[in-house]
Amino acid sequence: AQSVTQLGSHVSVSEGALVLLRCNYSSSVPPYLFWYVQYPNQGLQLLLKYTSAATLVKGINGFEAEFKKSETSFHLTKPSAHMSDAAEYFCAVRPPNFGNEKLTFGTGTRLTIIP
Amino acid sequence: DAGVTQSPTHLIKTRGQQVTLRCSPISGHKSVSWYQQVLGQGPQFIFQYYEKEERGRGNFPDRFSARQFPNYSSELNVNALLLGDSALYLCATQGGLTETQYFGPGTRLLVL
């Protein structure tokens, strides 16, 4: 079974400061990992994904994440926060094999940007 | 290209009623998955369908059922609604060799 733990249900950062959202996973096989963002009253939008290629993954809106197998982590970062980054962020994991695309999500981190 | 579409956007039902939610995939996507997102939590996997066959089922009671049509659209049915079924129901579709699921805007269900 796979699982995801997101440390910190709420994170607040000042505009222009570093954003760091933490995600740790558990998986018996090398997983695929994803970060999604959800704005109020909307669905989920893919920020970035790791699928066993480069361990440092760049996504949309200036976000990036690094896959660290030794730490079973896939933390999301952005060098400089913008007011528009305020949203809920979800880390998700799934097996790498075709035919089993079930995503297992973490409980989410609500990011607040302080002006 | 149009993204994943879901209907209706909002729905209010009473306990014991039945509801049908609909999802149209991105053109060319043959895999459809359904997720339930209760307020304040992450989405939980309900079903996956591929080429009209059920490929996976989450830990949900038999009151939940789904199907996929020849045009790859899908319906999620929930019978005998309970208050706890109130949630945002998300549809996600995936196509070809991509590893990514693309989500629709969801249907918000309120059970009174």
Side-chain angles (χ1 to χ4, degrees):
Chain A
Q2 299 185 313
S3 66
V4 168
T5 302
Q6 291 185 242
L7 295 176
S9 58
H10 292 84
V11 171
S12 295
V13 301
S14 298
E15 190 175 15
L18 172 71
V19 174
L20 171 61
L21 304 183
R22 300 179 185 275
C23 172
N24 288 89
Y25 69 90
S26 174
S27 177
S28 57
V29 297
Y32 287 171
L33 292 158
F34 304 81
W35 276 99
Y36 284 89
V37 61
Q38 186 175 37
Y39 297 100
N41 301 312
Q42 294 187 25
L44 301 176
Q45 180 183 5
L46 179 71
L47 277 176
L48 48 79
K49 62 182 178 183
Y50 167 77
T51 56
S52 72
T55 57
L56 181 62
V57 180
K58 295 185 183 300
I60 63 171
N61 301 337
F63 285 93
E64 63 181 39
E66 186 173 6
F67 173 72
K68 292 186 176 181
K69 184 178 179 181
S70 61
E71 299 177 7
T72 61
S73 69
F74 190 58
H75 302 330
L76 182 70
T77 61
K78 181 174 180 178
S80 177
H82 191 272
M83 295 300 294
S84 61
D85 294 328
E88 187 93 22
Y89 291 80
F90 293 95
C91 182
V93 63
R94 59 153 278 201
N97 48 300
F98 176 73
N100 184 0
E101 285 88 25
K102 170 190 171 183
L103 285 170
T104 300
F105 285 87
T107 51
T109 298
R110 182 169 299 278
L111 177 64
T112 300
I113 310 298
I114 304 168
Chain B
D1 285 339
V4 179
T5 59
Q6 293 186 242
S7 62
T9 56
H10 294 81
L11 207 51
I12 300 175
K13 293 285 187 178
T14 57
R15 282 177 296 176
Q17 286 189 310
Q18 176 264 343
V19 68
T20 297
L21 311 179
R22 296 175 177 84
C23 172
S24 292
I26 293 171
S27 178
H29 285 194
K30 299 180 179 180
S31 172
V32 174
S33 297
W34 288 95
Y35 294 83
Q36 181 197 63
Q37 186 180 19
V38 173
L39 194 62
Q41 298 183 20
Q44 296 290 318
F45 173 77
I46 309 175
F47 285 110
Q48 185 200 359
Y49 276 77
Y50 179 77
E51 289 278 17
K52 295 169 287 182
E53 292 190 0
E54 183 182 303
R55 180 169 276 177
R57 172 186 285 255
N59 187 24
F60 281 80
D62 292 343
R63 300 185 295 107
F64 289 75
S65 63
R67 56 179 176 169
Q68 187 177 30
F69 300 97
N71 66 354
Y72 304 111
S73 66
S74 177
E75 287 182 351
L76 175 69
N77 296 282
V78 187
N79 294 321
L81 284 167
L82 304 175
L83 296 180
D85 295 331
S86 295
L88 179 67
Y89 288 84
L90 295 163
C91 172
T93 74
Q94 183 173 339
L97 298 178
T98 177
E99 310 87 358
T100 302
Q101 291 187 25
Y102 294 90
F103 284 80
T107 293
R108 189 165 296 281
L109 172 65
L110 177 61
V111 182
L112 301 176

